[in-house]
Amino acid sequence: PGMLQIKCIAKPLLRPGLGACPLLKQLNYWKNNYETKTNINMFLTTKGRYAIMAMLDMYESCIDGKVVSIKSMAERQNLSVYYLEQLFCLLKKHSIVNSIKGPGGGYVFAKLPNEIRLYDVLKAVGEKTKTTKCGEKKDDLCQGAGSVKCNSHLLWIDFSRYIDEYFLSTTLEDVKEGNFFKQKNFKNNL
């Protein structure tokens, strides 16, 4: 049997002095501990990965409502200031963060970290968790299959929903505290 493959289209999530991002550790745990009958690819772009990294950085730095600047996050995470500015405009538009203007300005959370789901962060920046080239709905057709659905179409739709449920039920606080399996029983379900 193959292993679950998590393909991320970005550079590694190593944080200077801190090691790998907790979410990447979780994805690697998932990848290394659950064998499947086929290789499955999940694609996350830099938008989703960097947005989650920045939100976790903000959580670590945003003590007692302290304003966190894009520049300081970019330096700590070794990310582009310009790219983070674009992501934070989207996060603000979706009421995940609020901006503080002026000298000493930056961003603060619009909600408590235990109310910010990873799914909401990914959705805010336009990220989709995609496990296949099949269409996303039950009646969609599959790429490369002409005018028909592939024989495993419903399987991939269900698997994508499973991943979405994981991100829906995991908050920033869960990631920070390492509570990835809170109310999740993956081992028995896989």
Side-chain angles (χ1 to χ4, degrees), residues 38-103:
T38 185
N39 287 331
I40 300 167
N41 296 313
M42 181 176 84
F43 298 97
L44 287 177
T45 67
T46 55
K47 287 189 303 184
R49 290 185 54 209
Y50 288 3
I52 290 174
M53 286 172 65
M55 295 299 288
L56 289 170
D57 181 273
M58 209 172 135
Y59 185 30
E60 294 167 351
S61 305
C62 196
I63 301 164
D64 297 325
K66 177 184 168 192
V67 177
V68 181
S69 73
I70 294 279
K71 184 179 178 186
S72 66
M73 280 187 273
E75 288 172 359
R76 283 189 298 272
Q77 299 301 321
N78 195 27
L79 301 174
S80 161
V81 170
Y82 176 74
Y83 199 57
L84 284 181
E85 286 173 345
Q86 293 176 11
L87 294 176
F88 271 78
C89 282
L90 295 169
L91 293 167
K92 181 182 173 191
K93 182 179 177 181
H94 286 86
S95 303
I96 294 173
V97 297
N98 289 324
S99 64
I100 308 296
K101 298 189 186 282

Side-chain angles (χ1 to χ4, degrees), residues 16 28 38 50 67 83 100 109 117 120 129 148 165 175 189:
N28 284 332
T38 185
Y50 288 3
V67 177
Y83 199 57
I100 308 296
F109 288 116
R117 302 175 303 179
D120 298 327
T129 53
V148 296
E165 281 296 321
V175 176
N189 291 332

